[in-house]
Amino acid sequence: MKLDFAWDNDGQYHQYCLHCHAETVKSIQENGRAAYHCASCSHTHDRSIVIDPAINWWIAADGEYWHESAGIFVRNPHGKFLFFERTKFPFVLTIPAGHVNANEAPEASAVRELAEEVGIQATALTKIVTDDIVGDSCRRGSDAHRWHAYLLALDKPANVQVNDEGGNPVWLTLDEVGGKNFSFPTNYIIKHYPGAFQ
């Protein structure tokens, strides 16, 4: 997404309507999912455009709005990976992941998101890749993310407690992933870096 409207870059938090770009967006719930309703144009969308100084973001030379994200592929002792269904856009199966905070190392961000989203504490991670992924749309209005992916190999089963951003955790082998509705970066990383999961 290109920010082709008059948006504020004053170091403060701003949230704009995806349709009319007014800063009159409120978070609501629709059918158990998060949505964003604009008081100015009355449109409701699954996402909005957020400028947040608390996370890492930038505008590329071509005008594309970028975010930085980190996530962890969690593998249990049986060779299955943890996924859960998101209740915030995108409404698909995903791995524990989120935006990298300002002044936060990507690995620290991945560990934090893992604990926050599914209640698993991580110590030793294996780096899978850092890659710029265009087509990864998030609820904060970016369609391009610099992704840092890690692998956590568990030596015993984990107690998973998914937070309010998701539900229905499931453990799947990578062979079982095909045909299911996964987030864009999850699919991308599995497809482009299969050797990293051995």
mmCIF file of all heavy atoms in Angstrom, residues 61-85:
data_model
loop_
_atom_site.group_PDB
_atom_site.id
_atom_site.type_symbol
_atom_site.label_atom_id
_atom_site.label_comp_id
_atom_site.label_asym_id
_atom_site.label_seq_id
_atom_site.Cartn_x
_atom_site.Cartn_y
_atom_site.Cartn_z
ATOM 1 N N ALA A 61 11.446 3.944 -1.366
ATOM 2 C CA ALA A 61 11.639 4.935 -2.431
ATOM 3 C C ALA A 61 10.467 4.958 -3.408
ATOM 4 O O ALA A 61 10.146 6.000 -3.972
ATOM 5 C CB ALA A 61 12.942 4.649 -3.173
ATOM 6 N N ASP A 62 9.799 3.799 -3.584
ATOM 7 C CA ASP A 62 8.664 3.746 -4.512
ATOM 8 C C ASP A 62 7.347 4.139 -3.837
ATOM 9 O O ASP A 62 6.285 4.056 -4.445
ATOM 10 C CB ASP A 62 8.533 2.361 -5.139
ATOM 11 C CG ASP A 62 8.220 1.271 -4.107
ATOM 12 O OD1 ASP A 62 8.171 1.569 -2.892
ATOM 13 O OD2 ASP A 62 8.017 0.109 -4.526
ATOM 14 N N GLY A 63 7.411 4.552 -2.565
ATOM 15 C CA GLY A 63 6.220 4.984 -1.842
ATOM 16 C C GLY A 63 5.521 3.893 -1.060
ATOM 17 O O GLY A 63 4.544 4.156 -0.354
ATOM 18 N N GLU A 64 6.014 2.641 -1.167
ATOM 19 C CA GLU A 64 5.382 1.520 -0.461
ATOM 20 C C GLU A 64 5.564 1.672 1.054
ATOM 21 O O GLU A 64 6.626 2.048 1.537
ATOM 22 C CB GLU A 64 5.984 0.192 -0.918
ATOM 23 C CG GLU A 64 5.246 -1.037 -0.435
ATOM 24 C CD GLU A 64 3.885 -1.226 -1.086
ATOM 25 O OE1 GLU A 64 3.714 -0.833 -2.257
ATOM 26 O OE2 GLU A 64 2.993 -1.762 -0.423
ATOM 27 N N TYR A 65 4.490 1.383 1.782
ATOM 28 C CA TYR A 65 4.473 1.460 3.242
ATOM 29 C C TYR A 65 4.890 0.107 3.815
ATOM 30 O O TYR A 65 4.200 -0.890 3.615
ATOM 31 C CB TYR A 65 3.061 1.843 3.694
ATOM 32 C CG TYR A 65 2.823 1.949 5.177
ATOM 33 C CD1 TYR A 65 3.773 2.483 6.029
ATOM 34 C CD2 TYR A 65 1.617 1.526 5.724
ATOM 35 C CE1 TYR A 65 3.534 2.594 7.387
ATOM 36 C CE2 TYR A 65 1.358 1.640 7.080
ATOM 37 C CZ TYR A 65 2.324 2.167 7.910
ATOM 38 O OH TYR A 65 2.092 2.273 9.255
ATOM 39 N N TRP A 66 6.036 0.064 4.510
ATOM 40 C CA TRP A 66 6.616 -1.175 5.024
ATOM 41 C C TRP A 66 6.523 -1.260 6.542
ATOM 42 O O TRP A 66 6.635 -0.250 7.234
ATOM 43 C CB TRP A 66 8.085 -1.277 4.635
ATOM 44 C CG TRP A 66 8.327 -1.673 3.217
ATOM 45 C CD1 TRP A 66 8.257 -0.859 2.112
ATOM 46 C CD2 TRP A 66 8.685 -2.967 2.750
ATOM 47 N NE1 TRP A 66 8.540 -1.580 0.981
ATOM 48 C CE2 TRP A 66 8.812 -2.880 1.341
ATOM 49 C CE3 TRP A 66 8.911 -4.190 3.372
ATOM 50 C CZ2 TRP A 66 9.162 -3.979 0.555
ATOM 51 C CZ3 TRP A 66 9.255 -5.283 2.591
ATOM 52 C CH2 TRP A 66 9.374 -5.165 1.198
ATOM 53 N N HIS A 67 6.329 -2.495 7.038
ATOM 54 C CA HIS A 67 6.448 -2.819 8.456
ATOM 55 C C HIS A 67 7.512 -3.896 8.616
ATOM 56 O O HIS A 67 7.849 -4.597 7.661
ATOM 57 C CB HIS A 67 5.130 -3.359 9.009
ATOM 58 C CG HIS A 67 4.062 -2.338 9.179
ATOM 59 N ND1 HIS A 67 2.760 -2.672 9.458
ATOM 60 C CD2 HIS A 67 4.087 -0.986 9.110
ATOM 61 C CE1 HIS A 67 2.022 -1.578 9.561
ATOM 62 N NE2 HIS A 67 2.809 -0.543 9.340
ATOM 63 N N GLU A 68 7.990 -4.060 9.850
ATOM 64 C CA GLU A 68 8.929 -5.135 10.173
ATOM 65 C C GLU A 68 8.237 -6.122 11.106
ATOM 66 O O GLU A 68 7.595 -5.713 12.080
ATOM 67 C CB GLU A 68 10.188 -4.570 10.826
ATOM 68 C CG GLU A 68 11.267 -5.600 11.043
ATOM 69 C CD GLU A 68 12.574 -4.982 11.527
ATOM 70 O OE1 GLU A 68 12.543 -3.876 12.099
ATOM 71 O OE2 GLU A 68 13.620 -5.621 11.338
ATOM 72 N N SER A 69 8.344 -7.423 10.807
ATOM 73 C CA SER A 69 7.675 -8.453 11.595
ATOM 74 C C SER A 69 8.624 -9.586 11.937
ATOM 75 O O SER A 69 9.642 -9.786 11.269
ATOM 76 C CB SER A 69 6.480 -9.032 10.823
ATOM 77 O OG SER A 69 5.478 -8.062 10.651
ATOM 78 N N ALA A 70 8.257 -10.344 12.975
ATOM 79 C CA ALA A 70 9.029 -11.514 13.378
ATOM 80 C C ALA A 70 8.074 -12.599 13.838
ATOM 81 O O ALA A 70 7.027 -12.305 14.428
ATOM 82 C CB ALA A 70 10.005 -11.166 14.501
ATOM 83 N N GLY A 71 8.427 -13.847 13.544
ATOM 84 C CA GLY A 71 7.567 -14.956 13.938
ATOM 85 C C GLY A 71 8.354 -16.225 14.170
ATOM 86 O O GLY A 71 9.516 -16.343 13.760
ATOM 87 N N ILE A 72 7.711 -17.184 14.832
ATOM 88 C CA ILE A 72 8.372 -18.435 15.197
ATOM 89 C C ILE A 72 7.556 -19.631 14.724
ATOM 90 O O ILE A 72 6.365 -19.742 15.029
ATOM 91 C CB ILE A 72 8.580 -18.528 16.725
ATOM 92 C CG1 ILE A 72 9.493 -17.401 17.222
ATOM 93 C CG2 ILE A 72 9.180 -19.887 17.108
ATOM 94 C CD1 ILE A 72 9.759 -17.418 18.714
ATOM 95 N N PHE A 73 8.207 -20.518 13.988
ATOM 96 C CA PHE A 73 7.647 -21.829 13.682
ATOM 97 C C PHE A 73 7.992 -22.744 14.850
ATOM 98 O O PHE A 73 9.173 -23.014 15.100
ATOM 99 C CB PHE A 73 8.232 -22.373 12.380
ATOM 100 C CG PHE A 73 7.728 -21.681 11.143
ATOM 101 C CD1 PHE A 73 8.296 -20.492 10.712
ATOM 102 C CD2 PHE A 73 6.680 -22.226 10.409
ATOM 103 C CE1 PHE A 73 7.834 -19.860 9.564
ATOM 104 C CE2 PHE A 73 6.211 -21.599 9.256
ATOM 105 C CZ PHE A 73 6.786 -20.412 8.841
ATOM 106 N N VAL A 74 6.982 -23.198 15.569
ATOM 107 C CA VAL A 74 7.189 -24.046 16.737
ATOM 108 C C VAL A 74 6.967 -25.504 16.326
ATOM 109 O O VAL A 74 5.883 -25.856 15.863
ATOM 110 C CB VAL A 74 6.221 -23.670 17.883
ATOM 111 C CG1 VAL A 74 6.466 -24.565 19.093
ATOM 112 C CG2 VAL A 74 6.365 -22.197 18.244
ATOM 113 N N ARG A 75 8.007 -26.341 16.498
ATOM 114 C CA ARG A 75 7.916 -27.761 16.130
ATOM 115 C C ARG A 75 7.934 -28.615 17.393
ATOM 116 O O ARG A 75 8.814 -28.459 18.238
ATOM 117 C CB ARG A 75 9.077 -28.149 15.219
ATOM 118 C CG ARG A 75 8.988 -29.580 14.678
ATOM 119 C CD ARG A 75 10.148 -29.893 13.773
ATOM 120 N NE ARG A 75 11.408 -29.859 14.509
ATOM 121 C CZ ARG A 75 12.573 -29.483 13.985
ATOM 122 N NH1 ARG A 75 12.660 -29.094 12.733
ATOM 123 N NH2 ARG A 75 13.662 -29.482 14.724
ATOM 124 N N ASN A 76 6.951 -29.510 17.508
ATOM 125 C CA ASN A 76 6.904 -30.378 18.681
ATOM 126 C C ASN A 76 7.761 -31.631 18.451
ATOM 127 O O ASN A 76 8.295 -31.833 17.348
ATOM 128 C CB ASN A 76 5.458 -30.715 19.059
ATOM 129 C CG ASN A 76 4.762 -31.645 18.091
ATOM 130 O OD1 ASN A 76 5.380 -32.289 17.233
ATOM 131 N ND2 ASN A 76 3.441 -31.729 18.208
ATOM 132 N N PRO A 77 7.926 -32.492 19.469
ATOM 133 C CA PRO A 77 8.792 -33.672 19.311
ATOM 134 C C PRO A 77 8.320 -34.658 18.250
ATOM 135 O O PRO A 77 9.081 -35.528 17.825
ATOM 136 C CB PRO A 77 8.750 -34.319 20.702
ATOM 137 C CG PRO A 77 8.389 -33.222 21.636
ATOM 138 C CD PRO A 77 7.466 -32.336 20.869
ATOM 139 N N HIS A 78 7.076 -34.539 17.792
ATOM 140 C CA HIS A 78 6.537 -35.434 16.767
ATOM 141 C C HIS A 78 6.677 -34.854 15.353
ATOM 142 O O HIS A 78 6.129 -35.415 14.389
ATOM 143 C CB HIS A 78 5.067 -35.728 17.063
ATOM 144 C CG HIS A 78 4.830 -36.257 18.444
ATOM 145 N ND1 HIS A 78 5.277 -37.488 18.870
ATOM 146 C CD2 HIS A 78 4.225 -35.687 19.517
ATOM 147 C CE1 HIS A 78 4.944 -37.671 20.127
ATOM 148 N NE2 HIS A 78 4.309 -36.599 20.551
ATOM 149 N N GLY A 79 7.383 -33.732 15.227
ATOM 150 C CA GLY A 79 7.611 -33.135 13.914
ATOM 151 C C GLY A 79 6.440 -32.329 13.391
ATOM 152 O O GLY A 79 6.376 -32.026 12.199
ATOM 153 N N LYS A 80 5.514 -31.959 14.284
ATOM 154 C CA LYS A 80 4.370 -31.140 13.872
ATOM 155 C C LYS A 80 4.578 -29.693 14.336
ATOM 156 O O LYS A 80 5.208 -29.440 15.360
ATOM 157 C CB LYS A 80 3.077 -31.704 14.446
ATOM 158 C CG LYS A 80 2.731 -33.076 13.877
ATOM 159 C CD LYS A 80 1.312 -33.494 14.239
ATOM 160 C CE LYS A 80 0.934 -34.776 13.504
ATOM 161 N NZ LYS A 80 -0.487 -35.113 13.664
ATOM 162 N N PHE A 81 4.001 -28.772 13.539
ATOM 163 C CA PHE A 81 4.181 -27.343 13.786
ATOM 164 C C PHE A 81 2.882 -26.724 14.293
ATOM 165 O O PHE A 81 1.784 -27.123 13.915
ATOM 166 C CB PHE A 81 4.629 -26.642 12.504
ATOM 167 C CG PHE A 81 6.006 -27.038 12.067
ATOM 168 C CD1 PHE A 81 6.209 -28.194 11.329
ATOM 169 C CD2 PHE A 81 7.108 -26.272 12.407
ATOM 170 C CE1 PHE A 81 7.473 -28.579 10.927
ATOM 171 C CE2 PHE A 81 8.390 -26.645 12.013
ATOM 172 C CZ PHE A 81 8.574 -27.801 11.276
ATOM 173 N N LEU A 82 3.041 -25.693 15.132
ATOM 174 C CA LEU A 82 1.896 -25.026 15.749
ATOM 175 C C LEU A 82 1.355 -23.914 14.858
ATOM 176 O O LEU A 82 2.099 -23.040 14.416
ATOM 177 C CB LEU A 82 2.313 -24.430 17.094
ATOM 178 C CG LEU A 82 1.267 -23.571 17.813
ATOM 179 C CD1 LEU A 82 0.040 -24.402 18.186
ATOM 180 C CD2 LEU A 82 1.880 -22.926 19.054
ATOM 181 N N PHE A 83 0.039 -23.962 14.622
ATOM 182 C CA PHE A 83 -0.667 -22.902 13.910
ATOM 183 C C PHE A 83 -1.940 -22.585 14.692
ATOM 184 O O PHE A 83 -2.426 -23.403 15.460
ATOM 185 C CB PHE A 83 -1.040 -23.338 12.489
ATOM 186 C CG PHE A 83 0.127 -23.781 11.667
ATOM 187 C CD1 PHE A 83 0.439 -25.142 11.555
ATOM 188 C CD2 PHE A 83 0.935 -22.874 11.009
ATOM 189 C CE1 PHE A 83 1.510 -25.565 10.801
ATOM 190 C CE2 PHE A 83 2.012 -23.288 10.249
ATOM 191 C CZ PHE A 83 2.303 -24.643 10.147
ATOM 192 N N PHE A 84 -2.487 -21.383 14.482
ATOM 193 C CA PHE A 84 -3.777 -21.042 15.078
ATOM 194 C C PHE A 84 -4.533 -20.106 14.154
ATOM 195 O O PHE A 84 -3.947 -19.469 13.274
ATOM 196 C CB PHE A 84 -3.622 -20.438 16.484
ATOM 197 C CG PHE A 84 -2.910 -19.106 16.520
ATOM 198 C CD1 PHE A 84 -3.613 -17.912 16.425
ATOM 199 C CD2 PHE A 84 -1.532 -19.053 16.687
ATOM 200 C CE1 PHE A 84 -2.965 -16.686 16.467
ATOM 201 C CE2 PHE A 84 -0.876 -17.830 16.730
ATOM 202 C CZ PHE A 84 -1.595 -16.650 16.623
ATOM 203 N N GLU A 85 -5.840 -20.030 14.347
ATOM 204 C CA GLU A 85 -6.697 -19.180 13.518
ATOM 205 C C GLU A 85 -6.745 -17.777 14.097
ATOM 206 O O GLU A 85 -6.997 -17.599 15.290
ATOM 207 C CB GLU A 85 -8.112 -19.760 13.453
ATOM 208 C CG GLU A 85 -8.193 -21.092 12.747
ATOM 209 C CD GLU A 85 -9.602 -21.661 12.760
ATOM 210 O OE1 GLU A 85 -10.518 -21.003 13.297
ATOM 211 O OE2 GLU A 85 -9.775 -22.773 12.228
#
